[in-house]
Amino acid sequence: MSFKTLRYILIQALILVSVAGTFGQTKDSLPSDSSKLKTKLSFVARMQQFAEKSAKSSIDDFEGDKAAIAQNRILEEIKKKIQKAKSFLKNGVDTLDTKAKLISLNEDFTIAKDGVLTNKGSSQTFRNLTTTSKILTELLNKANASKAKLDLYQSEVNRFRYDLDSLLSQRDLFKFSSDSATLSKFMGQLVVAAYEVNPVDSSLKKENNSIQGMLNQVNLQVFKIETGLEEIERYKQDIARNTFYRDFDNIWGKVAFYRPFSEILNQAQAKGLLTLVFYLQNNIGKLAILLLIISAAFIYLRSLKSIYEANKLTTDNYEGQRVLRYPFWSALLISVSLFQFMFFSPPFILSVIFWLISSLSLTMIFRGFITKYWMNVWLLMAVFFIISALDNLILQASRTERWLMLALSLTGSIVGLMVLLKGRKEELREKLILIAIGLMVFLELASSITNIFGRYNLSKALLISGFLDVVVAILFLWTIRLINEGLFLAFNVYTKQDPKLFYLNFEKVGKKVPVAFYLLLIFGWIILFGRNFAGFEYASAPFRDFFARERTIGDYSFTINSLLLFILIMGISVATSKIVSFFASDKHQVQDDKSKNALQSVGSWLLLIRIGILSLGLFLAVAAAGIPVDRITIVLGALGVGIGFGLQALVNNLVSGLIIAFEKPVNVGDIIEIDGQGGTMKSIGFRSSVISTWDGADVIMPNGDLLNSHLINWSMGGSKRRTLLSIGVAYDSNLEKVKEILTQTLDGNPNVIKTPPPSVNYEQFGNSSIDIKVFFWTKHFREATQTKSELIIAINDAFKSADIKIPYPQQDITIYKNEDFDKRK
């Protein structure tokens, strides 16, 4: 109800009330006639009509006001939605980029299906199927990613259209006012809204049709890839089941399908590079970790070599110390040989790159160490392996390749037999290599026979496995030997371990690599050997399923792989933090002042560096294991309860450690003094710090106590120290001469610095002497005591030469007789 209507009703009511009062001013004794009664009834009827009319008017006004508010709100929401839709369309999917990705996807699919789905030949090869399967799996992942992106974008487009249609269909928008002026204004607003909505709606429709067209192409591509993978899987199963069955005719038989050998090489090159690029894109983090491990191993071995050279512990020609003579090649060989197992299901070309790097490293280590005969044998085996590896990169069979395979396998067999029968076995340092060579001869002979009689897939697997068996066996045996050397040499140097700082206790490990390590490497050799055979993938499937199967505890799901990955990442981060601690506190090397200052600078930031490494490791471990964040918050909540009940001291020490790390009231290597006891700050840890006292003991002090103590830091002031020397001379001494002698003595000592200059002050007349206080500064805190001792000797000699007495403390006692005492009274 409007204020005007309310005022109008009040005025009308007052008029009616006054009229009613006028009619009521009659005497009660006079009888009322019929005209007065009629007038009274007419007044009541008019009042009722007026009330009904006013109520209806008020309701109409209320509904009109409510409709106007709703209409304004709807129009405002329409404007906002239009602006959001325009912004969304402007920053939406780059259709040109998406089309380019689809074209690239189709080109890669064309490359992948060559030789498997097209140009099939008379039989499939296991290497071609495996490589194609890896490429198609990656293409399927990319296609599904593009599909998911397009689906999300299309759903957003449809949501905008739905929201606009929903707003334009609301009933309040079509409640028109009875007032013509208001209605005209509202109709103008509707026209403007329709004018703004129409182009946006058209753009949304056009975008939806465009996205749907691209989605159709992506869906078709996904269907083709999935169909191709299913067909490849059937081929692989057939080859695995029919391993010993004939693939082609005998080597001298008729050629059923001919394709130029140059085309086969081009196809192998294209597919090999494609698998390598895809795999490296997905495992760039592991490559970075590998580089870090190689760098850390090289720095450690170079540090060990510096210690041996500084202490003149190296032998002639580094006999038994090959790991020290070539620290870079040794670090490269050990790191690559071990870390290659962290690359799960790598393409064969990447494995070949790893093996070539390891072989080159071992060749450099062999120089001048093994005899010329066995060096030639190693180089020959490496060449055989490289040729067989290049042949294994050829994916489609051909008669030309079969003849090359036969020649290579027969040559390898003959060379292996000659080495076994006429080789200089007495010069061989690792006798186990003979077993590997014998296995190679057997495998290469089997490869020749199966190749001749058309078992191509089996023949090729035996060919690469034979040479790979020898090379990998030698690489692994020397990896163990170099690790053994490194541990033994480190054991000889680090005889006194610091468990708080050092990451590996050699006394516990011993002088040899544990037997379990040999078993692990043998297991790794079996994996590398078995990957070449078609049935290995199906034989290892139960083990992969065991580790990859999802398990549930409560609401949390996990796999064995995720748990092992969590433990591995945390173990690496803890080991890395320990390694940093070790190198920051390595006292075995001979260092100049510059190197010591650099180490102290690193040591002062050591706690923050270790916290950063562990925090990053924890974050990566949680992310890799897929642990939900809400579970972490529950653990943190429980930890908060534990802190409230009984871990206050621990948390206090941890927080104090962080405060020390950030504020740096003391750094590693500083000379400090606490409660009268001096020492050197050795390390600052998470909970406690280590102080090496002058007595040779290590004091472990909680960080909370260290922060709350009255700590004197001599290093913070430049390590200078002022020292007081108190002297007393006889009363009959020449004080000017005394001062001159003291000044000359102070100037003559090289440890007494000239700025600030020393000071000689006469303090007081003592009981037996005139007391003198000598103040002087030394360059370093540790020189103060020795300098004071030297000055005492020099001053004593100078005083004796000048006949200046240093009196003993004395007291005169006078004894009086009784009469003399009475006289004094």
Side-chain angles (χ1 to χ4, degrees), residues 1 13 55 88 98 118 137 148 191 226 229 240 273 302 330 336 378 423 427 444 494 558 579 646 682 692 719 751 789:
M1 181 183 296
F88 175 76
T98 305
T118 59
T137 301
V191 170
E226 289 178 343
L229 283 172
L273 292 177
R302 189 179 63 178
S330 299
V336 173
W378 159 251
E427 299 176 356
E444 298 306 321
Y494 301 107
F558 67 95
I579 291 172
K682 186 175 183 180
S692 294
S719 298
N751 293 329
S789 176

Side-chain angles (χ1 to χ4, degrees), residues 111-126:
I111 294 174
K113 68 182 181 181
D114 184 20
V116 176
L117 305 178
T118 59
N119 300 320
K120 296 182 180 181
S122 58
S123 182
Q124 297 290 349
T125 66
F126 176 69

Side-chain angles (χ1 to χ4, degrees), residues 70 73-74 77 165-174:
R73 177 183 57 79
I74 294 171
E77 289 182 2
D165 292 341
S166 177
L167 290 172
L168 293 172
S169 302
Q170 292 193 22
R171 292 184 178 182
D172 289 336
L173 204 59
F174 301 99

